[in-house]
Amino acid sequence: VPVLLENNGFSSPVEPITEMYALPAKKDIDPTPVMAVFYYLFFGLMLSDAGYGCLMVLVSALALKKFPLEGNMRKTMKMFLYSGVSTIFWGALFGSWFGDIVQVIGRSFFSVEIGSLALWFEPMADPIRLLLFAFALGIVHLCAGLFVRAGMLIKQRRAWDAVMDTLPVLLLVLGAAPLAAGIFIPVPEGLTGAGKGMAAAGAVLLIFTSGRSGKKALAKLGGGLYGLYNTASGYLSDVLSYSRLLALGLATGSIAGVVNLMGAMPENLAVKAVVLTVVFCVGHAVNLAINLLGAYVHTNRLQLDR
């Protein structure tokens, strides 16, 4: 049966991404509204340079205004527009405006040391914080996927299946989160204890609920143990895959910093100004093109995998 998606102006720009993978059946839930929120967040976090975000917004807005774009092309351009806004947001939080060009200009031409422009923190100075934040966003994303699945089951009048398929996984994943975070940072004992209890309860429930389709006790136990192993290993790998948010964000900033450093190498101020201008334009254009493609591909991957 042909399927027509119908979403608001915020969600409809990512409909081509949904169509790229698979359209929902007429009785399924359209994942596009939920996906749109995370899509813009992840895209901006991977690019994470406010200067690049400004260029994206400017070019996208001009294209939408000046050219008669229609259909998926217009939706895609709007997607880049909203992703650009997200990129400005994350770039401002991390203090990246075409890398550290503000500091480089101040130091090279005015002998002034300009401090960090970050409204939150600089990922290059504290990558572990960004890594843990990426994992936390990933867990929220996975939980959102679980709730969408629960909603589909409830819509099919399978409320009990929705509880048994969702609650144990939520307990296991959310309980394991503070335990895993303790590897990198100190975690309060109360939170660690609560995490152990939740993870244990989730593991026990998974054993019982995953094997509920078996007819014999031994088959149910085997199915439950396999379900526990499959869920634990699968969600562990899923959460680890969100480290790409850190990797691509650091790649954008580090390459931008190298471009600015290369442009400021000459000693003569006049020569430095010319070289910096040329290297800035060419280097940042290449960096934006490469990391724009990377952010697009890996944001799509994170939606498909969930």
Side-chain angles (χ1 to χ4, degrees):
V1 178
V3 176
L4 177 64
L5 301 179
E6 184 177 1
N7 292 287
N8 59 29
F10 179 81
S11 303
S12 60
V14 297
E15 287 179 351
I17 309 299
T18 303
E19 296 170 0
M20 185 187 305
Y21 296 136
L23 286 168
K26 62 179 182 179
K27 294 184 178 181
D28 290 340
I29 294 177
D30 180 8
T32 305
V34 177
M35 185 181 73
V37 176
F38 292 100
Y39 195 94
Y40 300 139
L41 283 176
F42 292 161
F43 196 110
L45 185 55
M46 288 185 190
L47 200 55
S48 65
D49 186 283
Y52 294 170
C54 290
L55 287 178
M56 289 175 61
V57 171
L58 179 61
V59 172
S60 300
L62 286 175
L64 288 168
K65 184 176 181 179
K66 298 294 185 180
F67 299 101
L69 303 176
E70 297 180 356
N72 283 350
M73 181 59 70
R74 186 171 184 83
K75 291 179 181 178
T76 300
M77 196 56 62
K78 283 186 177 180
M79 181 270 290
F80 281 115
L81 175 65
Y82 294 148
S83 297
V85 174
S86 175
T87 302
I88 295 174
F89 171 76
W90 291 114
L93 288 181
F94 299 149
S96 182
W97 296 83
F98 295 104
D100 59 346
I101 191 62
V102 176
Q103 291 89 336
V104 168
I105 291 176
R107 182 170 55 250
S108 300
F109 296 98
F110 302 100
S111 300
V112 175
E113 287 296 333
I114 300 175
S116 173
L117 301 178
L119 300 179
W120 186 16
F121 72 98
E122 293 186 358
M124 296 292 292
D126 193 359
I128 295 300
R129 184 191 297 191
L130 181 56
L131 178 64
L132 292 177
F133 180 69
F135 287 157
L137 273 181
I139 291 174
V140 173
H141 190 209
L142 292 171
C143 290
L146 283 172
F147 285 123
V148 170
R149 170 166 172 75
M152 291 175 62
L153 291 173
I154 292 173
K155 191 175 180 181
Q156 298 170 10
R157 298 182 180 180
R158 298 169 57 191
W160 184 238
D161 285 336
V163 173
M164 290 191 291
D165 288 349
T166 304
L167 180 61
V169 179
L170 285 174
L171 290 173
L172 181 63
V173 172
L174 296 179
L179 304 180
I183 300 174
F184 301 97
I185 58 173
V187 177
E189 291 186 5
L191 190 58
T192 302
K196 290 179 179 178
M198 290 176 62
V204 172
L205 285 174
L206 266 172
I207 293 176
F208 283 101
T209 58
S210 297
R212 64 183 185 274
S213 59
K215 295 182 178 180
K216 297 183 179 180
L218 188 60
K220 290 184 178 180
L221 178 61
L225 292 173
Y226 176 76
L228 174 61
Y229 167 78
N230 193 45
T231 301
S233 60
Y235 274 86
L236 174 61
S237 64
D238 284 345
V239 172
L240 291 176
S241 71
Y242 288 92
S243 60
R244 73 187 73 190
L245 296 173
L246 164 73
L248 270 74
L250 290 182
T252 305
S254 60
I255 295 174
V258 171
V259 169
N260 296 334
L261 179 63
M262 291 173 59
M265 289 179 66
E267 294 293 335
N268 183 277
L269 288 182
V271 175
K272 180 182 293 188
V274 174
V275 172
L276 181 58
T277 301
V278 174
V279 172
F280 176 88
C281 293
V282 176
H284 284 289
V286 173
N287 189 32
L288 174 58
I290 293 173
N291 287 287
L292 193 63
L293 177 62
Y296 175 75
V297 170
H298 287 284
T299 304
N300 288 1
R301 285 286 306 278
L302 286 176
Q303 308 307 320
L304 171 64
D305 293 345
R306 306 308 158 244

